[in-house]
Structures are given as C-alpha cells and as structure tokens.
Amino acid sequence: GAVVSQHPSRVICKSGTSVKIECRSLDFQATTMFWYRQFPKQSLMLMATSNEGSKATYEQGVEKDKFLINHASLTLSTLTVTSAHPEDSSFYICSAREGTGEAFFGQGTRLTVV
Amino acid sequence: AQSVTQLDSHVSVSEGTPVLLRCNYSSSYSPSLFWYVQHPNKGLQLLLKYTSAATLVKGINGFEAEFKKSETSFHLTKPSAHMSDAAEYFCVVRSQFSGGYNKLIFGAGTRLAVHP
C-alpha cells in the first residue's frame, strides 16, 4: 500500500515552545490530509482536515490558532503546536488520501511537553 | 449521523483459539466500513474494508468481517489467534460526503490480548 511518513516519531519540548510535526505522502498525491489526536487508551479524535492549497477545516473544540496546519503541497502537511503546554502531550497521527480513495496513516508522533 | 460502537473494550483469547471483535454501526445510508489495527505507539494499518460489494470481506493476516445489514453489524473474526495479533483494533465508518469532504469516524477501540 501507499506510504505516509510522519516525523518526528517522538519529541519532547519545554512548556511555552512550539513544535512542528511533518506528514509526507511518499508515493501518491495527498489531496486531503487529516490530523488526529489520541490520548492514552482512547480512540482517535479528528482535529482537522486540510485540502491542498486551502485552509484547514477544524473540528469543533479544536483551537485553530493553537494547532496550525499547513498543506502547501500535494505531498506535505505540517501541524504546529504553538505555545505547547503539558495538556497538549498526546499521540498525534496524520493520514493522507488521494481523491476519494483509501486513507493511509502515518506512524504517529508522541509529543511530551515538560 | 454515522457512528460505530465497539461492544467490547477488552478481549482476551488463548493462542490458537478464534477471535471475535464486535462492532455495530449506525448509518442512514449504505456505509463504508473498515477495521484498522494499531500496535503500541504505532500508526494504523488497514485490515479490511467493506464498500457495498461482497458482504464477507477477507483482509490481511487471516482476518475477515461480515457485513450484516439486518443486524447493523460488522464483526471482525479470525479462526486462530496468534501472539502477534495482540493490539488495539478500531472499527471505522466513513461519514457521508458533506462540507467538501468525508471523514472517518472511529469506534472506541478493542484491545485484544493473546495468551500462550
């Protein structure tokens, strides 16, 4: 199947700093990318959806100014957690889809804010 | 609105015995349904999907699922569990196209433990 690469796999940052997570589709054009958040022992919660070249659509309750999403090309989307706090510590997962096809998932990023 | 309910948060089986992970869905139209597996601290891998073709869907690693419209169910089964099957399993429904895109709606997950 298609490959979605997410980087970094783990990151530890200090409270108040910003962290950028990258999501790349390696062998297809990701017209749509999704960002999820997963708390320990819980399911995935969709944070936002982005279409290449357009502003992201955020789910209710997700602060767009805190979780900045950029989808500037058909192979790359980034999620920036701004002014991170310990409560932002979580597992973040991206997925990418070409057209209306199957969505492929990245490996996830474990963010720890200390 | 579409939703999925995974009836068991934890399932424990012995190696070599059958696996049954239960999922019920709610949808006002013919849904697309998926099962994903997640190993610890990893992303998700698609096991199988139903998209209105054959009701019995065969996936990877010996898993299969049967779409039963009358029961609104999409249970995941495997005849013989392997230790490597221990993971978290998610039943997922694709939402109806709206607002310019459709999205995946995840169940709460079922943690499968396999004992020697």
Side-chain angles (χ1 to χ4, degrees):
Chain A
V3 177
V4 174
S5 177
Q6 191 172 336
H7 179 81
S9 58
R10 287 179 176 272
V11 58
I12 301 173
C13 71
K14 291 184 177 181
S15 187
T17 62
S18 295
V19 174
K20 180 183 286 187
I21 303 170
E22 292 187 348
C23 181
R24 293 180 184 273
S25 59
L26 299 187
D27 50 3
F28 66 100
Q29 294 186 327
T31 49
T32 306
M33 284 191 170
F34 304 86
W35 286 95
Y36 297 85
R37 183 172 182 176
Q38 185 181 30
F39 289 105
K41 302 186 187 303
Q42 294 188 27
S43 189
L44 279 72
M45 299 300 296
L46 180 66
M47 298 174 67
T49 302
S50 69
N51 291 302
E52 184 266 337
S54 303
K55 288 185 178 180
T57 301
Y58 289 81
E59 296 297 303
Q60 192 172 10
V62 178
E63 299 176 59
K64 63 180 181 181
D65 293 331
K66 181 167 186 63
F67 299 100
L68 301 178
I69 291 172
N70 184 283
H71 190 170
S73 79
L74 284 170
T75 59
L76 174 65
S77 176
T78 60
L79 167 68
T80 301
V81 183
T82 62
S83 187
H85 291 282
E87 57 265 31
D88 298 324
S89 299
S90 190
F91 194 58
Y92 293 87
I93 303 176
C94 72
S95 74
R97 187 178 71 197
E98 181 172 16
T100 58
E102 178 183 337
F104 296 93
F105 287 80
Q107 309 95 313
T109 297
R110 171 74 58 194
L111 170 63
T112 303
V113 185
V114 298
Chain B
Q2 297 79 42
S3 66
V4 288
T5 301
Q6 291 183 245
L7 300 171
D8 307 292
S9 59
H10 291 82
V11 170
S12 181
V13 301
S14 297
E15 189 176 21
T17 64
V19 175
L20 170 64
L21 305 183
R22 299 182 295 166
C23 174
N24 286 104
Y25 69 91
S26 173
S27 179
S28 56
Y29 67 104
S30 184
S32 293
L33 293 160
F34 309 78
W35 276 99
Y36 284 87
V37 61
Q38 183 183 32
H39 289 92
N41 293 310
K42 299 292 185 183
L44 277 72
Q45 181 182 22
L46 179 65
L47 283 177
L48 48 80
K49 61 182 176 183
Y50 167 77
T51 55
S52 77
T55 56
L56 182 61
V57 182
K58 293 188 182 298
I60 62 172
N61 301 336
F63 285 94
E64 62 182 39
E66 186 172 8
F67 174 74
K68 292 187 176 180
K69 185 175 182 179
S70 60
E71 299 177 10
T72 62
S73 69
F74 190 57
H75 301 334
L76 182 71
T77 61
K78 182 173 180 177
S80 176
H82 192 273
M83 295 297 289
S84 61
D85 293 328
E88 188 85 18
Y89 292 80
F90 293 99
C91 182
V92 180
V93 63
R94 180 183 290 168
S95 71
Q96 190 170 12
F97 190 83
S98 65
Y101 64 92
N102 49 15
K103 58 186 180 183
L104 299 181
I105 299 170
F106 284 77
T110 298
R111 183 165 297 277
L112 175 65
V114 182
H115 302 289

